[in-house]
Structures are given as C-alpha cells and as structure tokens.
Amino acid sequence: AKARGKNTFHFFSQDLNEAAKERLELESQLREAIREHQFMLYYQPKIDLNTNHIVGYEALIRWLRPDNKLVPPARFIPVAESTGLIVQIGEWVLWEGCRFLARQCSRGLNVDLSINLSARQFRDNSLAETVERILKRTGVEPKRIIFEITESMLMGDTDAAIHQLNQLKSLGVSLSIDDFGTGYSSLSYLKRFPVDELKIDRSFVQDIPEDTNDMDIVSAIIAMAQQMNLRVVAEGVETVEQVAFLKQHDCTLVQGYYFSMPLAEQELNQLEFTIN
Ligand code: C2E
Ligand code: CA
Ligand code: CA
Ligand code: CA
C-alpha cells in the first residue's frame, strides 16, 4: 500500500507540473495573441418577443489561433484573468465592440451591445475613464452599452463595487447582472446595487418545460425583476417551448440558439430577422 501511495504521489506531482507547464504555455500564447491581433468578437442577437426584432447583441470573444483553431473563452479567460492579461484583452473588447456598434448605428439600426466585464477589469480604478474615452472616440451613445457583471464581483468589498457601479452609471451606460440566480445575492442585497437588468442564467432555462422547479425559479426571478423595475433577459433559450413559457411569464427579452448562435459581423449582416 505504501509503494502505491508513493506512486500515486509521483503521478500527482507530475500532473501538477504538466498543468503548470500548460498554463505557462497558454500565457505566452496569449501575449502573442494580443500582439498579433488573434482575437475576434462574435455577436449573439437579443430578441424582443413582442416584436420579434433584434434589439441588440452580446459581444462574445473568440481566439482564432494561427492554426485556424477557434478557442472558446472558457479555455483562456481564466488564465487571462489570473495573469492580469484580461485587462488588455478587455480593453480591446471595448474598442472592437464600440466600433461594431458605431457601424451598426451608421446603418440606421437601433441596437444596443452587451459587453462582459471580468472581475479584474471591474476592480480596475481606471475602468470608467477608459470606457469614457472609448465611447467618445467611437462616437457611441453611452445608453447603447450594457455591461454584464456577475454576482460574485459584487461580493467582498461591496463599497468599492457600489463606487465602481456608480462611476459607470454616471457615464450613462446600463448595468446587468449576468448568470443571475447562480450566486448568492438576496433581494435586499440586490437593492443596494444600481443595476438595470437581470440576466437569468442558462441553467434555469435549459430544462424548461420538464423541470417544474426551474420553471418556478424562472417565474420568480421575472416577477422579482418586475417588482424592482429591472429589465429581465433570459439566456440560453433553445426551444419553442421555452420561448412560449418566457413569453407567457412576461419575459420578452431573450437570447439563445433557438434564435441564433453568436456570429461574426459579416454573418450577422445577412441574418433574416426583422431588425428594429
Ligand atoms: P456568458 O456571458 O454567460 O455568455 C453566454 C454563453 O452561452 C456564451 O458562451 C454563448 O455562446 C453561450 N450560449 C448562448 N446561447 C446559448 C444556448 O442557447 N445554448 C447554449 N448551450 N449556450 C448558449 P461563450 O461564447 O463560450 O462564452 C462563455 C463565457 O465566457 C461567457 O459566458 C462569459 O462569461 C465569458 N466571455 C465571453 N466573452 C467575454 C469577454 O469579452 N470578456 C469577458 N470578461 N468574458 C467573456
Ligand atoms: Ca454574458
Ligand atoms: Ca450569462
Ligand atoms: Ca454563463
């Protein structure tokens, strides 16, 4: 048994080395990706069920490697976050997203853009200044930008979080709580933050209409959002039954594969949806 324990330890530490090596490799590849402009933004339409119009998009980052592999954010955002590279990447997302939005608006389209902020970016004291500069330089109206943050970013130093939210709000942008329901925020907690929108997490939507628990949770979140005068958006909508349920419960803003995958800008411009 002892010998086996030793072996196990040996394997374990080798695995750790492997993991550390991979991480270092990924970090240096990420630095190269920043230098060589290997990132792309994809855009997923947000639909208003009352009109069936596209009312906006969510910007979702992709990494297009030189070998033409498209790397999803779940694979590199955590490393970008822990190395701090996310601040630079996030600033690129802001520029690219705002330029996209300016192009959409110049085509006469009345749309907004949701942009994900990482924890590290959200803690950055110069975030609001950066956002202000980019809005000015791209000519985007602040009211067209919605920043998505998660509940966990609001935990911990809540005074600092409230300060940051107020700084952003004073620019005229909107704020949304992403993946809502997966964190631990209580109603009273939520009330302290100057947010405009709740985004119901995909995990509560995906098993509608089989899971009655999830249906209760979703209708409770919708009712709560309405009570608090918050907009509510459902993400991860994949089926016609889910659309019907959400519409019936007065959640008219939706996003998901049922309507469209996230798309590159050229693909978007060929979509057959009615546009606002
Ligand atoms: P998220 O913000 O919750 O984004 C929604 C994710 O769900 C996206 O995955 C989207 O492609 C996927 N999705 C949309 N509709 C459906 C659906 O109907 N079914 C299913 N199964 N999935 C759907 P993606 O693009 O892989 O992004 C994953 C996460 O990476 C995002 O989760 C977000 O947390 C993060 N992320 C993406 N772009 C950025 C960015 O620019 N900055 C930061 N900080 N994080 C980002
Ligand atoms: Ca999001
Ligand atoms: Ca989400
Ligand atoms: Ca999510």
Side-chain angles (χ1 to χ4, degrees):
K2 247 185 191 162
R4 192 164 159 251
K6 229 175 170 181
N7 260 335
T8 310
F9 175 75
H10 184 65
F11 275 121
F12 187 59
S13 67
Q14 226 174 19
D15 280 353
L16 274 183
N17 281 335
E18 274 305 303
K21 234 178 81 188
E22 257 176 52
R23 228 188 81 106
L24 274 176
E25 236 163 69
L26 191 56
E27 180 180 348
S28 84
Q29 288 171 348
L30 273 177
R31 289 186 194 280
E32 184 178 299
I34 294 172
R35 272 198 316 273
E36 310 279 330
H37 311 286
Q38 294 170 5
F39 296 110
M40 292 181 70
L41 281 189
Y42 272 37
Y43 303 94
Q44 186 174 39
K46 296 186 287 178
I47 315 295
D48 183 343
L49 292 177
N50 283 331
T51 58
N52 279 328
H53 284 175
I54 294 178
V55 292
Y57 300 97
E58 177 176 4
L60 294 158
I61 196 169
R62 301 288 181 266
W63 176 10
L64 185 61
R65 305 248 310 238
D67 58 8
N68 266 331
K69 282 207 184 97
L70 206 59
V71 189
R75 288 280 310 283
F76 65 90
I77 292 278
V79 173
E81 177 87 33
S82 65
T83 53
L85 291 172
I86 191 69
V87 175
Q88 252 175 294
I89 296 172
E91 188 169 332
W92 175 83
V93 170
L94 287 169
W95 277 108
E96 188 69 13
C98 286
R99 287 194 206 104
F100 161 80
L101 193 53
R103 284 191 292 274
Q104 295 291 309
C105 291
S106 74
R107 296 170 64 215
L109 304 174
N110 183 23
V111 289
D112 61 35
L113 185 68
S114 298
I115 296 177
N116 294 286
L117 292 180
S118 77
R120 187 82 158 231
Q121 261 181 304
F122 186 68
R123 280 200 308 271
D124 186 348
N125 287 327
S126 57
L127 176 65
E129 235 171 83
T130 304
V131 171
E132 186 175 25
R133 185 162 36 91
I134 294 172
L135 289 174
K136 283 221 173 87
R137 289 278 294 276
T138 55
V140 163
E141 294 171 287
K143 64 165 191 194
R144 294 191 183 274
I145 298 289
I146 301 158
F147 285 120
E148 297 193 357
I149 54 173
T150 59
E151 288 163 275
S152 62
M153 297 187 207
L154 302 174
M155 310 293 195
D157 192 348
T158 53
D159 288 342
I162 290 173
H163 180 72
Q164 183 68 288
L165 295 172
N166 283 329
Q167 297 275 101
L168 291 170
K169 284 237 54 148
S170 71
L171 300 175
V173 303
S174 298
L175 303 172
S176 176
I177 301 191
D178 202 359
D179 305 338
F180 188 76
T182 60
Y184 303 93
S185 44
S186 67
L187 243 175
S188 64
Y189 193 78
L190 198 62
K191 261 192 120 132
R192 300 174 48 198
F193 299 105
V195 297
D196 308 282
E197 180 186 284
L198 301 182
K199 206 158 177 184
I200 303 172
D201 191 66
R202 182 171 84 221
S203 60
F204 300 115
V205 175
Q206 67 188 3
D207 296 325
I208 295 175
E210 286 81 27
D211 192 319
T212 53
N213 262 332
D214 284 348
M215 281 151 77
D216 289 343
I217 291 169
V218 167
S219 59
I221 294 175
I222 297 167
M224 183 182 87
Q226 284 169 345
Q227 191 70 38
M228 295 176 70
N229 275 319
L230 299 174
R231 293 209 311 176
V232 60
V233 182
E235 69 176 15
V237 178
E238 293 184 356
T239 69
V240 67
E241 289 83 7
Q242 291 162 0
V243 172
F245 178 86
L246 291 162
K247 200 169 174 181
Q248 191 194 334
H249 288 80
D250 261 343
C251 175
T252 56
L253 294 173
V254 291
Q255 189 184 329
Y257 294 168
Y258 180 74
F259 301 96
S260 172
M261 307 261 295
L263 300 170
E265 185 175 358
Q266 315 88 270
E267 302 173 295
L268 266 188
N269 292 336
Q270 295 162 11
L271 268 189
E272 286 183 31
F273 278 108
T274 3
I275 288 204
N276 226 351

